């Protein structure tokens, strides 16, 4: 074997070795809840309650034993696609944190929980309805998961609360290249972005203020060192492997002609 061919093969083997090493991850880098013991109990005192924010879409439906009396408190629009159908209309929380509720008028709901809004509406409707049933639902509850997860994207949430673990589950879990000790949650409070870090390898993550996510939260999982190294290597790998392949091919052609 010529020196040129041997050198080309050596380069090729070295690149493959680097690629394999850079893709390896240790147990410490990928395991959740590393500090938990066997049959250990941890009381969760994280009293999270979802609150309404500006630009939220809120569905409110009022019903009572007297359907005619409760009808004015439900916004309905008529849709003609595929036949005439009645559809409920959602309420948009405006920049002042208010919604315009039928008959009652402007209501400040920003910062209220669904239960608090339900109490407020019952009080406002007490002059018109007896024992009204009020169903409230947040229509735009979504969370966005980005970075080193298997299927990044924006996911709708059914219900009033979701944990960061459940949200990551929507995205197919973290890849082995994701940094579990430093997951970033970006939360918006009336135009102010709040950045909070959470350690998924610790049992105390349940005490984090971002363990329960709110509507429009963004969760970002940064790549670990091996992923960054691998990305840097991959930038030049194609060129290097092409050169190595050309050198090997040229060496073989030269040898066959001798």
């Amino acid at each position: 074997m010529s020196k040129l061919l041997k050198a080309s093969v050596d380069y090729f083997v070295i690149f493959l070795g680097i690629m394999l090493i850079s893709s390896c991850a240790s147990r410490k880098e990928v395991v959740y809840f590393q500090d938990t013991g066997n049959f250990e109990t941890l009381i969760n005192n994280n009293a999270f309650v979802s609150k309404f924010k500006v630009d939220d879409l809120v569905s409110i439906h009022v019903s009572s034993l007297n359907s005619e009396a409760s009808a004015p408190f439900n916004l309905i629009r008529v849709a003609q696609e595929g036949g005439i159908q009645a559809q409920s209309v959602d309420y948009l929380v405006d920049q002042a944190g208010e919604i315009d509720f039928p008959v009652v008028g402007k209501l400040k709901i920003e910062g209220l929980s669904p239960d608090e809004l339900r109490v407020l509406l019952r009080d406002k409707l007490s002059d018109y309805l007896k024992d009204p049933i009020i169903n409230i639902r947040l229509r735009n509850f979504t969370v966005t998961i980005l970075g080193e997860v298997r299927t990044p994207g924006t996911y709708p949430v059914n219900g009033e609360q979701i944990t960061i673990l459940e949200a990551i589950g929507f995205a197919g879990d973290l890849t082995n290249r994701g940094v579990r000790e430093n997951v970033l949650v970006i939360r918006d409070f009336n135009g102010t972005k709040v950045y909070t870090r959470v350690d998924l390898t610790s049992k105390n993550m349940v005490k984090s203020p971002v363990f329960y996510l709110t509507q429009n939260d963004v969760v970002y999982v940064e790549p670990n060192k091996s992923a960054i190294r691998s990305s840097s290597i991959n930038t030049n790998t194609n060129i290097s492997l092409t050169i190595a392949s050309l050198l090997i091919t040229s060496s073989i052609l030269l040898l066959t002609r001798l």
Side-chain angles (χ1 to χ4, degrees):
M1 182 181 291
S2 69
K3 292 183 178 180
L4 182 60
L5 179 59
K6 185 177 184 302
S8 301
V9 172
D10 289 342
Y11 283 131
F12 186 78
V13 172
I14 290 172
F15 277 119
L16 287 179
I18 293 174
M19 291 289 290
L20 290 173
I21 292 172
S22 63
S23 62
C24 295
S26 66
R27 179 182 182 279
K28 185 178 180 180
E29 292 178 310
V30 298
V31 176
Y32 298 113
F33 303 108
Q34 295 179 23
D35 54 355
T36 55
N38 191 25
F39 296 105
E40 182 177 356
T41 300
L42 179 63
I43 298 176
N44 183 7
N45 294 319
N46 194 337
F48 171 82
V49 178
S50 62
K51 305 283 187 178
F52 295 114
K53 301 179 182 180
V54 170
D55 290 333
D56 275 348
L57 281 176
V58 185
S59 171
I60 303 175
H61 184 266
V62 179
S63 61
S64 67
L65 293 176
N66 188 338
S67 58
E68 291 184 1
S70 57
F73 301 99
N74 297 303
L75 291 181
I76 301 294
R77 66 180 177 186
V78 177
Q80 296 183 348
E81 297 180 3
I84 298 177
Q85 296 179 346
Q87 298 178 348
S88 61
V89 178
D90 298 329
Y91 297 87
L92 175 67
V93 183
D94 63 23
Q95 295 301 309
E98 299 176 333
I99 61 172
D100 195 358
F101 198 77
V103 183
V104 174
K106 292 285 186 178
L107 289 177
K108 179 81 170 183
I109 73 167
E110 179 190 7
L112 297 182
S113 69
D115 284 341
E116 290 170 336
L117 175 56
R118 196 172 287 110
V119 171
L120 174 63
L121 285 172
R122 284 201 182 102
D123 179 63
K124 295 292 184 181
L125 300 179
S126 60
D127 293 336
Y128 308 96
L129 300 173
K130 182 179 179 180
D131 299 325
I133 299 173
I134 304 172
N135 291 314
I136 300 172
R137 184 176 181 181
L138 183 63
R139 304 289 292 181
N140 65 315
F141 196 161
T142 61
V143 292
T144 300
I145 318 296
L146 302 175
E148 286 293 335
V149 292
R150 302 188 189 283
T151 52
T154 299
Y155 296 88
V157 178
N158 295 320
E160 295 182 359
Q161 64 177 221
I162 183 175
T163 69
I164 189 172
L165 293 175
E166 292 170 324
I168 289 173
F170 286 164
D173 201 2
L174 276 65
T175 68
N176 288 342
R177 297 181 171 189
V179 177
R180 285 147 173 78
E181 303 93 335
N182 201 32
V183 175
L184 175 65
V185 176
I186 305 172
R187 181 167 294 173
D188 184 90
F189 285 104
N190 298 334
T192 301
K193 301 295 183 183
V194 179
Y195 299 85
T196 306
R197 303 277 180 173
V198 58
D199 182 1
L200 301 184
T201 68
S202 172
K203 62 187 178 184
N204 291 318
M205 64 175 293
V206 298
K207 299 178 181 180
S208 169
V210 295
F211 178 69
Y212 290 99
L213 300 179
T214 65
Q215 59 270 38
N216 305 318
D217 278 358
V218 177
V219 179
Y220 173 68
V221 181
E222 64 183 72
N224 60 19
K225 293 180 180 179
S226 64
I228 295 173
R229 286 196 303 267
S230 177
S231 176
S232 177
I233 291 171
N234 287 336
T235 303
N236 300 313
T237 295
N238 290 336
I239 297 175
S240 300
L241 291 179
T242 300
I243 294 173
S245 177
L246 289 173
L247 290 173
I248 293 172
T249 302
S250 299
S251 299
I252 292 173
L253 290 175
L254 287 173
L255 289 172
T256 56
R257 291 180 181 180
L258 295 176

